[in-house]
Amino acid sequence: MGPARPGPQPRLTTASPRAARPGAARTVAREIETKDPDDPNVLATLARAELAAGEYFKATEMFRDLAERVADDPAALHRVARLQISAEDWVGARKTLGRALRAKPGFLAARITLIDLEARAGNIDTALEMARKLRAERPKMAAADLVYGDALMRAKRFDEAATSYETGLGKEPNSALVLRVYRARLLAGESDRAMALLEGWVRDNPDDVSARKALAAAFIGAKRYADAIALHER
């Protein structure tokens, strides 16, 4: 019988462990660990609690231990790698993602996460090259344009990032890409173009809460208070 495999990522009492009461979360997690020390979900919960408490070394070691427990289940390895990235354990996450991709070559979610990892770790050229390859292989996939744009943003190539996001937006219109184009255009010094995009999107998609919040903040930042109030009242 192989090592136990984790189910969906365990959560603490709030959506973000950083928002929880770290001391209380650690205490509860440790009590659970004494009852079921071999359950990978318990270890993940305790590691997240340590991370929330600022115990990065402990959290990193626990996440690496967790990676060893999940055998070669690609989806489980990908979940663990995302936890490792949250602890900024680039080395551990890269190793875990490598295992996931060896177990399932072409695993799209793991490839995208690896590109994001390299960009976060400062390996921008590597991230860009990987993203270009993904775009070439998946020319109809908006997520490839998004991850390429994200890497360009980290390289402070804002105009190119906006163009990549816009390419993705043309394939799959969605709030995440709209907000990325908006931010990239702002940082590229094209505030009027950014605002026009966001206003147009909210006009056509009035139920998009994230975009409405961004537009309200933009109105307030531009001292367009009447527009902010009108948006709130719609």
Side-chain angles (χ1 to χ4, degrees):
M1 182 175 177
R5 297 179 181 180
Q9 284 187 20
R11 297 181 181 273
L12 299 180
T13 53
T14 64
S16 169
R18 293 183 183 278
R21 292 166 51 202
R26 291 165 77 192
T27 299
V28 171
R30 285 171 178 167
E31 287 177 359
I32 296 172
E33 185 189 29
T34 62
K35 298 178 180 178
D36 199 351
D38 297 323
D39 186 342
N41 285 301
V42 173
L43 179 60
T45 301
L46 181 55
R48 285 167 63 87
E50 294 291 354
L51 180 62
E55 296 289 348
Y56 295 98
F57 179 77
K58 287 183 180 178
T60 295
E61 291 301 308
M62 288 177 179
F63 287 143
R64 290 187 180 187
D65 184 15
L66 182 61
E68 295 302 317
R69 296 191 188 191
V70 297
D72 289 320
D73 179 334
L77 287 166
H78 181 239
R79 288 194 293 270
V80 173
R82 289 174 63 85
L83 290 170
Q84 290 174 307
I85 289 171
S86 71
E88 299 185 358
D89 179 12
W90 315 131
V91 174
R94 190 179 293 115
K95 179 180 177 181
T96 303
L97 288 169
R99 286 178 57 200
L101 288 167
R102 285 192 297 274
K104 184 180 179 181
F107 183 13
L108 189 57
R111 288 181 68 186
I112 290 173
T113 300
L114 183 58
I115 293 169
D116 180 60
L117 181 156
E118 296 297 355
R120 287 171 179 255
N123 301 320
I124 301 298
D125 289 342
T126 298
L128 288 172
E129 182 57 34
M130 293 168 67
R132 288 190 197 100
K133 183 177 179 181
L134 183 62
R135 289 179 94 198
E137 293 175 6
R138 303 287 186 110
K140 296 181 180 180
M141 187 177 74
D145 300 306
L146 185 151
V147 74
Y148 184 55
D150 285 353
L152 288 166
M153 287 290 285
R154 290 188 178 275
K156 301 187 185 303
R157 292 161 57 177
F158 304 124
D159 185 65
E160 292 176 75
T163 299
S164 183
Y165 293 144
E166 287 167 345
T167 300
L169 194 59
K171 300 171 187 176
E172 185 183 315
N174 62 67
S175 181
L177 280 165
V178 166
L179 293 174
R180 279 172 164 81
V181 175
Y182 169 71
R183 181 167 179 267
R185 288 295 174 206
L186 279 182
L187 292 171
E190 299 178 276
S191 57
D192 289 346
R193 189 172 175 181
M195 184 67 85
L197 169 74
L198 191 57
E199 286 189 74
W201 176 263
V202 171
R203 183 174 56 251
D204 296 338
N205 300 272
D207 295 328
D208 187 331
V209 175
S210 296
R212 286 174 66 92
K213 286 181 178 179
L215 182 57
F219 281 152
I220 292 170
K223 297 184 179 180
R224 292 172 56 179
Y225 303 124
D227 288 329
I229 293 170
L231 178 63
H232 177 70
E233 291 176 344
R234 283 184 206 168

